[in-house]
Amino acid sequence: MSVSTTGPDPVGISGPLHGVAVLDEGGRRGADGGPGGRRGPGRSPRRAGRQGRRDGPAGRRVLSRLTPYLFVAAAVGLLLLLTYLPAANMLWYSITDWNGLGPVENVVGLDNYVEVFTNPRILSVFGVSLYYFVGAFIQMALALYFATLLSFSTRFSNFFRGVIFFPYLINGVAIGFVFLYLFQPGGTLDTVLGWFGMTDPPQWLGDADIANYSLAGTSVWRYTGLNFVLFLGAIQSIPNDLYEAAELDGANRWQQFTNIIFPGIRRIIGLSFILAVSGSLSVFEIPFIMTGGANGTATFVIQTLQTAFSYRQVGLASAMAVVLLGIVLVVTWIQRKLFPDEKVDLT
């Protein structure tokens, strides 16, 4: 470090203070700073400066190349540790008969996968998923309808947007308990129906033929807000010039929807479709809280959970999880083939 006075030296000599070591750019002692202050033979300050300039840019280039990898390394490490490593363990357990306790004893190959597709107890849960799958399409239709309606100039639109999105903010456990009291015998729903003369309402959660409709309706009520926000954001990203041009051409609201809005949010609709399929197969919170999987309401995830921890068949449960992952990947691949990413030209 070089320290110098800012004005003329009191004795008329400007330069570094006495007793303060002078260091060069590399941190070494300078000209008069002790033994190191003497210039070595054949190494002038000018040459050392040129050498430092040569090393500086090269070092910065290496550092600039490594910087992106350093930022990504932590995220990739966590991803490998928390996602891919457990997935690899799940694949390994799926070909064993591990019971979840102690070491793995036997490797059974593909027997667990054969049982997934041949055991009636496991196959029945795919039928339960159909209720939620159909409910997901109803949910998307309602969300698209309200998003289109509230994207135009409507009175109290912000209030209605909040009302539609609010159920998604509520915890799933709380929603389960609210609808549990709503559907229980003599509950709120039966009381309201009694006002209209319906004195013998069905068992909304006790009847196996109706329970899945009740649970799917609860799921629709909760997740419509999520699709609504996705569709509304996509619709609002469409330039207003297109709506103005369509109005000048005499297009009505339906024509604006079919020719402007729907093509403009096609990617978001495809994304919502994937989420609907994966969500219908992985429903857990609402049926687990409201019925515990009883009366034929066990979904694929509930069945997997019971297989792993109630029947102590972790190997079979791992195979069920792998099958679920495969179904989601296949559906995603089909969706990408049917709705590829294409540039939508709205002009």
Side-chain angles (χ1 to χ4, degrees):
M1 177 181 67
S2 176
V3 180
S4 63
T5 57
T6 55
D9 195 308
V11 296
I13 301 173
S14 61
L17 296 176
H18 296 290
V20 178
V22 180
L23 305 178
D24 59 15
E25 293 181 359
R28 296 181 291 273
R29 287 180 181 274
D32 59 350
R38 296 179 180 178
R39 297 170 183 171
R43 183 176 176 85
S44 65
R46 183 176 299 176
R47 180 176 299 176
R50 287 199 299 268
Q51 183 67 30
R53 285 193 294 272
R54 271 192 221 106
D55 296 340
R60 285 195 293 272
R61 281 198 298 270
V62 173
L63 183 61
S64 63
R65 291 177 181 176
L66 292 178
T67 298
Y69 298 101
L70 294 177
F71 277 104
V72 173
V76 172
L78 291 175
L79 185 65
L80 293 174
L81 179 64
L82 302 177
T83 301
Y84 290 102
L85 182 59
N89 278 333
M90 183 179 67
L91 288 172
W92 161 245
Y93 293 141
S94 68
I95 59 174
T96 67
D97 62 349
W98 190 44
N99 60 2
L101 299 173
V104 176
E105 296 181 354
N106 300 316
V107 177
V108 297
L110 299 178
D111 291 351
N112 288 331
Y113 292 95
V114 174
E115 186 173 355
V116 169
F117 292 103
T118 56
N119 191 332
R121 179 175 59 86
I122 299 175
L123 283 178
S124 62
V125 298
F126 288 104
V128 176
S129 298
L130 291 178
Y131 291 93
Y132 297 94
F133 188 68
V134 174
F137 278 94
I138 298 174
Q139 164 188 314
M140 291 174 58
L142 290 174
L144 183 58
Y145 171 76
F146 287 117
T148 305
L149 187 66
L150 295 178
S151 64
F152 295 105
S153 178
T154 308
R155 297 185 64 180
F156 307 111
S157 61
N158 290 332
F159 171 76
F160 290 115
R161 292 176 185 178
V163 169
I164 296 173
F165 184 66
F166 179 72
Y168 183 69
L169 300 177
I170 304 176
N171 185 271
V173 178
I175 291 178
F177 280 111
V178 168
F179 278 86
L180 185 63
Y181 294 131
L182 177 71
F183 289 132
Q184 69 179 356
T188 306
L189 182 59
D190 290 352
T191 302
V192 173
L193 293 176
W195 295 344
F196 296 95
M198 191 172 180
T199 57
D200 189 17
Q203 298 288 329
W204 302 106
L205 298 177
D207 190 345
D209 296 330
I210 300 177
N212 284 312
Y213 291 104
S214 303
L215 297 176
T218 304
S219 180
V220 170
W221 182 84
R222 184 189 180 193
Y223 289 104
T224 298
L226 175 62
N227 292 114
F228 167 77
V229 170
L230 292 176
F231 292 149
L232 183 64
I235 293 173
Q236 290 182 339
S237 66
I238 298 174
N240 290 327
D241 298 343
L242 298 177
Y243 296 111
E244 295 175 359
E247 290 178 356
L248 290 177
D249 292 337
N252 55 29
R253 295 298 188 191
W254 174 250
Q255 291 172 331
Q256 291 181 21
F257 173 78
T258 55
N259 294 286
I260 297 177
I261 295 177
F262 190 81
I265 64 172
R266 188 177 176 182
R267 291 183 179 180
I268 300 300
I269 293 176
L271 173 64
S272 300
F273 178 77
I274 295 174
L275 295 177
V277 173
S278 61
S280 63
L281 292 172
S282 59
V283 175
F284 175 72
E285 285 181 337
I286 291 176
F288 185 78
I289 294 169
M290 297 179 66
T291 64
N295 298 325
T297 60
T299 60
F300 197 87
V301 177
I302 293 177
Q303 188 68 53
T304 303
L305 185 70
Q306 293 176 347
T307 302
F309 298 105
S310 298
Y311 304 115
R312 312 302 303 176
Q313 294 178 316
V314 177
L316 179 59
S318 300
M320 295 173 65
V322 173
V323 170
L324 176 62
L325 176 63
I327 293 174
V328 173
L329 292 178
V330 169
V331 172
T332 303
W333 180 77
I334 294 174
Q335 185 274 333
R336 300 291 292 181
K337 288 295 182 183
L338 295 178
F339 301 98
D341 287 338
E342 296 177 352
K343 292 184 179 179
V344 179
D345 187 7
L346 298 176
T347 59

